[in-house]
Amino acid sequence: MTTTYAVLSEGLEKSYGEVRALRGLDLAVPEGTICGLLGPNGAGKTTAVRILTTLTAPTAGRALVAGHDVTRAPGAVRRSIGVTGQYASVDGDLTGRENLRLFARLAGLRGAAGRARADELLERFELTEAADRTASTWSGGMRRRLDLAAGLLARPRVLFLDEPTTGLDPAARDRIWTAVQELAGRSGGGGGTTVLLTTQYLEEADRLADDIVVVDGGRAVATGTPAELKSRIGSHAEVTVTHPDALTGAAAVLDRLTGGRPVLNGERLTVGVTVSDTGLTLPRIIRALDTAGIPVTDATLRPPTLDEVFLRLTRVREVAPEKEHAA
Ligand code: ATP
């Protein structure tokens, strides 16, 4: 079976004067999946999204969205996509329903068809009850859901979600996540929309994304499912000592065992380290600490969190340019 890609980019480059925001970004997002674009500040995520949504032209390389070239057929790309941002485009003076009807007209859905689609989306995002109150009285989570609904009015094949839950409380975040999962067909409710999600929350990418692309320095530095990325950097060991004086001793033992870079936490009395040696077991760690006379109250060996993966992958990139210079 051949895979159809909803978003495909090859060697995408973008320079702003001296600044090379993108330096050959390759993306391949299969149709109907959720791709999480992760990266530290300034990595190039927003620039990539701006190119893919036809808001700015690439300096080099090419990109196809829903099969259309962003440079040669920007109109066709725009008709295939929905874009929702972290800054809700909702007008506070209008009611929820009026907002959606306005967006429907802007999306080319006129008359009864536009009204019906607006009502359908209000229902879907559990906004029907509040629909006739002005949006200024709505909570942040409700406004964000309205923004998401607006992005879906024209049934886009590809939805760009730029930091959809920044600033929301956990319950509101959870409702957005469920809505996004439904869009891509995870839990019934239609589905089939391809989602390109940029987020600062690794937990969000972990929960939603089929594939994650870690962007750093304008390039993809790692691509894979959340599980693949985690397994690539090994597991994480953490020990809790009984007294602050024992922290450095425990770090020395873990350093010797793993060759990693132990991180000390004086408040929690823990030492944590990434373990790439799959043969290292918890009993071995405990025995080594015991032999060194370091008393511990707790010790764990677990898969890394996506935060740890992210820090590791992007830290690797930070040192790479120096190596390039040296070569
Ligand atoms: P953040 O997470 O902070 O939003 P990002 O990954 O989205 O970061 P971009 O906004 O794409 O990163 O920025 C990539 C680089 O390009 C940065 O160095 C930024 O300063 C630069 N840049 C972005 N837009 C412009 C512009 N219009 N003019 C000049 N430089 C720009």
Side-chain angles (χ1 to χ4, degrees), residues 85-88 140-141 144 161-169 172-173 176-177 197-201 204:
Q86 50 179 312
Y87 305 109
R144 211 65 73 86
L161 280 179
D162 190 14
E163 304 195 7
T165 62
T166 300
L168 294 187
D169 68 42
R173 185 172 295 175
I176 296 267
W177 286 350
L197 164 85
T198 66
T199 180
Q200 301 276 353
Y201 298 119
E204 181 160 277

Side-chain angles (χ1 to χ4, degrees), residues 218-235:
R219 285 192 199 122
V221 294
T223 305
T225 64
E228 281 164 0
L229 292 181
K230 287 176 195 170
S231 68
R232 204 177 295 174
I233 74 155
S235 45

